[in-house]
Each structure stands twice: as structure tokens, then as C-alpha cells.
Amino acid sequence: MPREKSRPPQEEPWENGWAPDTSRAPGTRRLWLAGALAVATVAACVTAIALNDEPAGEATDTRGGKTLSDDETGGLISFATPSADASPSGSDEKGGMRPETASPSAGETGERSASPRPQGSPSAHASASAPGGKPSPAVPASADRSVSSVNYPDRYWHIGGGLVRLDPVRGSEYRQDSTFTVVKGLADSACYSFATADGTYLRHRDFVLRSERSDGSPLFRQDATFCARSSPYSGAVMLESVNYPGRFLRHQNFRIRLDAYQDSDLFRMDASFFLVAGLD
């Protein structure tokens, strides 16, 4: 039985009475499918853009036209934009002043392992932040004074090798090097400077207190001027630098240096001193 052919062989279409359908262009069905796919893609993109433009925390219910909150949507996750970190609040040096070197490293060995109980009794605000500029009781100008520590009352400021340390009393020569004349501040008459018997002054340089002869410069006068501030310990004062506000003289490893205020009991003890009668 001969096999029926739905379509004659391509090599002899005309001899068998078959002719191609010229009523539609070739590939019309595929063009329609491609067009439908393109329309669907554009619609999906438009929908996604519209959803992204909605306010954060809200979603639109396309069925009812109402707005749903985050709690009602349940499946939406929002990510908060992280805020920029605040920059460190370090204070800049005043214009025209000499840049000073950094404090000694934390690994520097010290002679002191712990601070003993301070001699003075702290006031009720001993745990407060930096002193607010309240002046302490006036110190008589042009008076010989020695400076002892609140937490080391048997040690006094002492000049050795040009630097000022917190040392115990050893002899008559030590007593002379531990006695200073308190005068009106060289840069601010409301504050104080410390003169020595040989005509030098105590000034900070590289954040370290030392004895140097005045060169008459404004920088030296500022480095040698300290303002007395109230201390949380009765009868003691804290000495703030006139050209580095917020930095106070304190002892560290028994050396007297200028450090930024720290809100700690140890710092307040280390930076509180008694101005007593001269030792010599």
C-alpha cells in the first residue's frame, strides 16, 4: 500500500502539484512569540521600577489599592542606611604654636605599679568629668612653695638633670631644688609661673615639665604659665596649661608631664597637687 505524503519532496514541488503558501511571511509565528516575550519583559521591568520608587517601609496591595505597613507585609525586608562614623574629637593645636611630640608609649616601664590612697579627702563630685574652669583658692604670688602629690604625699617636685620629677626628700640640696617661687603667670597674670633659685622657670616642652631659662619669647611665656583649677581633693589644685587648654600637669612614672584630661580617679589623683611651704 503506497505511503501517503502530506507534502511532496522539496526537490520536485511543481511536478506533483504542490506550491508554497504565500499568504503569510515566513517565520511569522516566531515573530509573534518574540514580540510577546519582549512586551512581557518590559512590563516586568516597569513593575519592578514602580515598586522600588515606593516609600521605604510601605508596600502597595495591588488588589485593593491600599497601603500595607511593614508589619502587615511580613515578607519584606528593609535595610537601614548606615550612618557615617563621627570623626575623633581630638583638639587641634593653636595656630602658631610649636607642635609637640606624642606621649611615651604604653609599653614604657614605670616605677609605680599602683597609686596609694590619697591624703586629701575627695569631694562629692570626684567622679565628674573635666574641671569646668572653676578657679581654685588663690595661691599667694611671690611666695616660696614646694609641690607634693595627693597620692604620694612624701614626694615633691624636684629638678634633676633639667627635668622635674616626683622624688622623696633626700637632703639640703634636694630641698633647694624642690622649692620654687610662685609668681604671676608670664603669659596670664591670673595664672601662675614657677621660678627657681637660679633664675630659670618651669615650662613644658614636648609635653614634659623641665627647668629652662627664659628666652623672652611669647611661646616660652605660654609654656611656663599654668592656671590653678579646682581639684576633687580638699586643699589640692590641678594645674592647666594656658596654651593647651584641657591638658594638665600630672605625674606618670614619677615624671611631671602635660597630659590631656582623663575621666578617671587615677588621673585626678595624679594631677592633683598640694602647694605647701617651701622645703628649704
Side-chain angles (χ1 to χ4, degrees):
M1 181 175 181
R3 186 178 59 181
E4 293 184 0
K5 296 182 180 180
S6 60
R7 179 174 180 179
Q10 294 294 326
E11 61 272 10
E12 47 184 14
W14 306 106
E15 289 78 354
N16 294 285
W18 178 86
D21 186 5
T22 58
S23 62
R24 62 184 181 88
T28 304
R29 182 178 302 170
R30 282 176 288 181
L31 290 176
W32 277 105
L33 290 176
L37 181 61
V39 171
T41 303
V42 172
C45 293
V46 172
T47 303
I49 294 173
L51 290 177
N52 288 336
D53 288 340
E54 290 185 358
E58 295 185 354
T60 303
D61 186 349
T62 55
R63 295 168 299 177
K66 65 178 181 178
T67 300
L68 303 179
S69 64
D70 289 341
D71 294 336
E72 293 172 331
T73 56
L76 299 179
I77 301 176
S78 61
F79 297 91
T81 302
S83 59
D85 294 335
S87 59
S89 57
S91 59
D92 296 332
E93 296 178 353
K94 293 185 177 180
M97 295 183 184
R98 179 191 68 250
E100 304 206 10
T101 58
S103 301
S105 62
E108 181 179 357
T109 57
E111 303 173 36
R112 165 167 54 96
S113 59
S115 294
R117 187 182 186 88
Q119 186 182 41
S121 57
S123 63
H125 60 279
S127 297
S129 58
K134 180 180 178 182
S136 67
V139 178
S142 299
D144 289 342
R145 290 288 184 268
S146 291
V147 186
S148 66
S149 169
V150 163
N151 49 354
Y152 286 90
D154 59 339
R155 289 176 176 260
Y156 298 82
W157 287 10
H158 172 249
I159 301 174
L163 301 179
V164 182
R165 292 178 50 86
L166 195 65
D167 290 334
V169 179
R170 294 190 179 91
S172 59
E173 184 178 352
Y174 174 95
R175 292 174 180 271
Q176 182 178 1
D177 291 338
S178 297
T179 301
F180 311 97
T181 301
V182 180
V183 299
K184 291 183 178 180
L186 300 181
D188 187 343
S189 60
C191 301
Y192 304 100
S193 294
F194 297 85
T196 66
D198 59 358
T200 65
Y201 289 89
L202 302 186
R203 58 90 60 95
H204 68 82
R205 181 160 59 84
D206 298 330
F207 294 136
V208 176
L209 191 65
R210 60 191 76 216
S211 171
E212 291 186 359
R213 195 167 301 276
S214 174
D215 59 7
S217 67
L219 177 61
F220 184 95
R221 290 195 293 270
Q222 291 176 337
D223 287 352
T225 302
F226 304 93
C227 299
R229 305 302 185 195
S230 59
S231 166
Y233 299 97
S234 176
V237 297
M238 299 178 70
L239 297 169
E240 183 180 22
S241 170
V242 75
N243 56 344
Y244 283 90
R247 287 184 175 268
F248 294 80
L249 292 177
R250 59 91 58 95
H251 66 82
Q252 187 178 48
N253 300 328
F254 296 127
R255 292 187 301 177
I256 308 301
R257 55 176 296 106
L258 193 66
D259 272 355
Y261 181 85
Q262 301 170 24
D263 188 12
S264 69
D265 291 336
L266 177 60
F267 181 90
R268 283 185 282 270
M269 287 189 292
D270 288 351
S272 295
F273 300 99
F274 295 114
L275 273 65
V276 300
L279 296 177
D280 62 351

